């Protein structure tokens, strides 16, 4: 019988801690609208001279 009382105490403690789900978050609260620069801004520009830094070739990496 003491085992049943211990289980009931454990169950009550668990229910006190986890018995209720967290409040629901609305989709509108999870998203944020930010106005972007026209044409993509400065990050969207193409720089052919600077693109060599991002080029990766396995043959070049191996020195072949």
């Amino acid at each position: 019988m003491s085992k049943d009382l211990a289980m009931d105490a454990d169950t009550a403690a668990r229910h006190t801690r986890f018995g209720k789900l967290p409040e629901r978050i609305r989709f509108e609260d999870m998203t944020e609208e930010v106005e972007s620069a026209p044409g993509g801004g400065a990050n969207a520009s193409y720089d052919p001279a600077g693109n060599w830094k991002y080029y990766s070739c396995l043959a070049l990496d191996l020195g072949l």
Side-chain angles (χ1 to χ4, degrees):
M1 188 154 146
S2 64
K3 188 175 183 180
D4 291 337
L5 291 175
M7 281 183 109
D8 291 339
D10 291 342
T11 303
R14 196 178 312 101
H15 186 13
T16 302
R17 185 171 180 190
F18 303 110
K20 184 177 133 186
L21 292 174
E23 292 183 25
R24 180 161 275 206
I25 300 172
R26 298 181 315 164
F27 181 75
E28 293 83 21
D29 295 337
M30 292 188 282
T31 58
E32 179 180 0
E33 292 184 17
V34 178
E35 194 169 326
S36 63
N43 294 338
S45 62
Y46 175 71
D47 180 21
N51 281 345
W52 67 270
K53 295 183 278 188
Y54 306 109
Y55 179 72
S56 179
C57 178
L58 182 60
L60 290 176
D61 291 341
L62 295 175
L64 301 177

